[in-house]
């Protein structure tokens, strides 16, 4: 299973609407006869890749797969049927499939006489796809709010200037993080005031459009024709709404699993007020301004008792800045 987990985490295993999955096929005497992993939506699933590598040696083999084989026909056929057709005798899987559309593979395999063992290194398997698991179980994308502020919580100076609060190293890390999400959200106010580009760059070079996250602009005012978010470097969608829940429904319908909220204080406050922030990535620069815009606008929090509580998951130094990663504590986690 650890080999299957490593395959699923391969650098070219793209995130997106489909989970990362790895599969290893073992002969009855324990020899690896085939292995594979899912490269992204539209590509063969991990089980199919492993079966192709194994050929006729798949008959009587054990398939070790990080996620319960799907029982769904989408862009590709069900992996449960592929395993049955290949004559696999035993299936060992990690995470059970939480997606009601695709689940049921273990049941089909067991019903056909295949020995099925589930829950092997399940926590490690689930950790491969936290945003995907969240999205399919909650019916909406996972939301990470990214903010960059001075030590006194300012995101802009009194004159409105905000570039650059954080270091070049922190900004480069943000681009790497952006590359792993499905969409980046800002408000129309940020577009009008700052004209952000929002496309992922590496080494100062904009990555190809096909690997860019969706740029999402929230608000009813028109995007200026010459705005950089309309330059074609990445796909762009305007959601002419103010309600965060409506925005997330629109993105869910586009198979978006993980969004990065990069908007200003007003949009961030709207998401916080709606209870729709799940994690925070905060960069703190060793600087003081004393005045200027705060990172978070009015979020309907009026007392310490009502404060939005976070659980810190990591603290790291990035250049001269400090990054704090945290998860929002829900009532059931208090």
């Amino acid at each position: 299973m650890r080999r299957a987990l490593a395959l699923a985490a391969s650098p070219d295993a793209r995130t997106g609407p489909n989970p990362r999955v790895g599969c290893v096929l073992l002969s009855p005497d324990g020899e690896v006869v085939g292995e594979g992993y899912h490269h992204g939506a539209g590509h063969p699933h991990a089980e199919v890749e492993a079966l192709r590598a194994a050929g006729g040696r798949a008959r009587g083999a054990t398939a070790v797969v990080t996620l319960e084989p799907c029982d769904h026909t989408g862009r590709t056929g069900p992996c449960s049927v592929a395993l049955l057709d290949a004559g696999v005798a035993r299936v060992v899987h990690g995470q059970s499939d939480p997606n009601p559309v695709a689940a049921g593979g273990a049941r089909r395999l067991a019903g056909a006489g295949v020995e099925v063992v589930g829950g092997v290194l399940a926590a490690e398997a689930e950790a491969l796809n936290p945003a995907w698991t969240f999205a399919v179980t909650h019916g909406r994308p996972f939301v990470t709010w990214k903010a960059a502020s001075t030590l006194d919580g300012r995101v802009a100076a009194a004159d409105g200037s905000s570039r650059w609060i954080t270091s070049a190293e922190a900004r480069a890390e943000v681009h790497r993080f952006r590359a792993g999400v499905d969409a980046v959200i800002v408000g129309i106010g940020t577009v009008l005031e700052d004209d952000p580009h929002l496309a992922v760059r590496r080494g100062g070079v904009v990555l190809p459009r096909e690997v860019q996250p969706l740029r999402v602009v929230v608000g009813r005012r028109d995007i200026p024709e010459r705005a950089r978010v309309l330059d074609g470097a990445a796909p762009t969608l305007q959601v002419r709404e103010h309600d965060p829940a409506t925005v997330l429904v629109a993105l869910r319908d586009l198979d978006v699993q993980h969004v990065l909220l990069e908007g200003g204080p007003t949009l961030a406050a709207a998401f916080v007020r709606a209870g729709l922030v799940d994690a925070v990535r905060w960069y703190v620069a060793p600087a003081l301004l004393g005045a200027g815009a705060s990172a978070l606008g009015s979020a309907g929090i009026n007392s310490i008792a009502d404060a939005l509580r976070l659980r810190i998951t990591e603290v790291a130094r990035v250049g001269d800045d400090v990054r704090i990663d945290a998860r929002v504590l829900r009532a059931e986690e208090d």
Side-chain angles (χ1 to χ4, degrees), residues 311-331:
R311 182 181 68 250
I312 294 176
T313 57
E314 185 178 5
V315 178
R317 183 166 176 170
V318 185
D320 289 330
D321 307 316
V322 173
R323 169 175 41 84
I324 302 171
D325 287 321
R327 288 291 297 267
V328 173
L329 286 175
R330 305 300 183 197

Side-chain angles (χ1 to χ4, degrees), residues 1 58 81 112 138 159 183 187 189 194 223 252 255 258 315 329 332:
M1 181 61 78
V81 173
H138 288 76
D159 65 358
D194 298 338
I223 302 173
R252 178 201 64 194
D255 281 335
H258 187 184
V315 178
L329 286 175
E332 63 270 16

Side-chain angles (χ1 to χ4, degrees), residues 6 17 23 25 40 77 124 126 142 165 203 239 269 283 294 332:
C23 179
L25 287 173
E124 289 91 334
E126 184 172 340
F142 185 87
I165 287 176
V239 182
Y283 292 89
S294 298
E332 63 270 16

Side-chain angles (χ1 to χ4, degrees), residues 141 185 216 218 239 241-252 271:
I185 303 179
V216 181
V218 175
V239 182
E241 280 286 346
H242 292 148
D243 176 31
T246 303
V247 174
L248 294 184
V249 167
L251 296 180
R252 178 201 64 194
F271 272 79

Side-chain angles (χ1 to χ4, degrees), residues 27-75:
S27 69
D29 60 2
E31 177 190 1
V32 175
V33 296
E35 57 183 33
Y37 61 93
H38 186 46
H39 292 258
H43 294 273
H45 287 191
E47 297 94 322
V48 173
E49 272 212 345
L51 290 171
R52 288 177 180 173
R57 293 183 295 173
R59 187 160 297 279
T62 294
V64 181
V65 60
T66 57
L67 179 68
E68 175 189 353
C70 70
D71 197 45
H72 168 65
T73 299
R75 297 184 187 181

Side-chain angles (χ1 to χ4, degrees), residues 11 268 293 302:
N302 298 311

Side-chain angles (χ1 to χ4, degrees), residues 8-325:
S10 296
D12 62 336
R14 292 180 58 190
T15 56
N18 290 357
R20 297 191 294 177
V21 182
C23 179
V24 177
L25 287 173
L26 302 171
S27 69
D29 60 2
E31 177 190 1
V32 175
V33 296
E35 57 183 33
Y37 61 93
H38 186 46
H39 292 258
H43 294 273
H45 287 191
E47 297 94 322
V48 173
E49 272 212 345
L51 290 171
R52 288 177 180 173
R57 293 183 295 173
R59 187 160 297 279
T62 294
V64 181
V65 60
T66 57
L67 179 68
E68 175 189 353
C70 70
D71 197 45
H72 168 65
T73 299
R75 297 184 187 181
T76 60
C79 292
S80 56
V81 173
L83 292 166
L84 288 173
D85 290 345
V88 168
R90 186 169 181 256
V91 172
V92 177
H93 69 81
Q95 181 184 11
S96 296
D97 196 335
N99 186 353
V101 175
R107 184 171 59 250
R108 179 192 289 269
L109 289 161
V114 174
E115 180 185 355
V116 178
V117 177
V120 177
L121 299 183
E124 289 91 334
E126 184 172 340
L128 286 167
N129 302 291
W132 174 82
T133 299
F134 180 96
V136 298
T137 54
H138 288 76
R140 67 166 178 85
F142 185 87
V143 177
T144 298
W145 172 33
K146 189 275 293 182
S149 73
T150 59
L151 197 60
D152 55 345
R154 306 294 178 178
V155 295
D159 65 358
S161 60
S162 60
R163 293 185 180 181
W164 293 103
I165 287 176
T166 53
S167 63
E169 292 89 344
R171 298 196 299 274
E173 187 177 84
V174 169
H175 280 278
R176 291 193 293 273
F177 190 75
R178 271 186 195 166
V181 304
D182 304 310
V184 179
I185 303 179
V186 297
I188 186 63
T190 294
V191 171
L192 295 174
E193 292 172 19
D194 298 338
D195 194 23
H197 193 216
L198 302 179
V200 177
R201 296 189 299 275
R202 188 168 295 153
V205 178
V206 177
L207 297 186
R209 178 185 171 93
E210 59 268 20
V211 299
Q212 293 282 352
L214 176 67
R215 299 180 290 194
V216 181
V217 179
V218 175
R220 297 194 176 100
R221 288 177 287 176
D222 291 338
I223 302 173
E225 290 183 5
R226 299 195 178 203
R228 295 202 298 159
V229 293
L230 297 180
D231 68 352
T236 299
L237 170 71
Q238 181 171 14
V239 182
R240 293 180 182 271
E241 280 286 346
H242 292 148
D243 176 31
T246 303
V247 174
L248 294 184
V249 167
L251 296 180
R252 178 201 64 194
D253 292 344
L254 294 174
D255 281 335
V256 168
Q257 312 293 345
H258 187 184
V259 303
L260 183 60
L261 179 62
E262 291 202 37
T266 301
L267 187 64
F271 272 79
V272 169
R273 192 163 50 245
L276 293 174
V277 171
D278 304 299
V280 174
R281 170 161 284 212
W282 200 296
Y283 292 89
V284 181
L288 299 171
L289 286 173
S294 298
L296 183 65
S298 177
I301 299 171
N302 298 311
S303 70
I304 290 294
D306 295 332
L308 182 67
R309 297 292 180 177
L310 311 174
R311 182 181 68 250
I312 294 176
T313 57
E314 185 178 5
V315 178
R317 183 166 176 170
V318 185
D320 289 330
D321 307 316
V322 173
R323 169 175 41 84
I324 302 171
D325 287 321

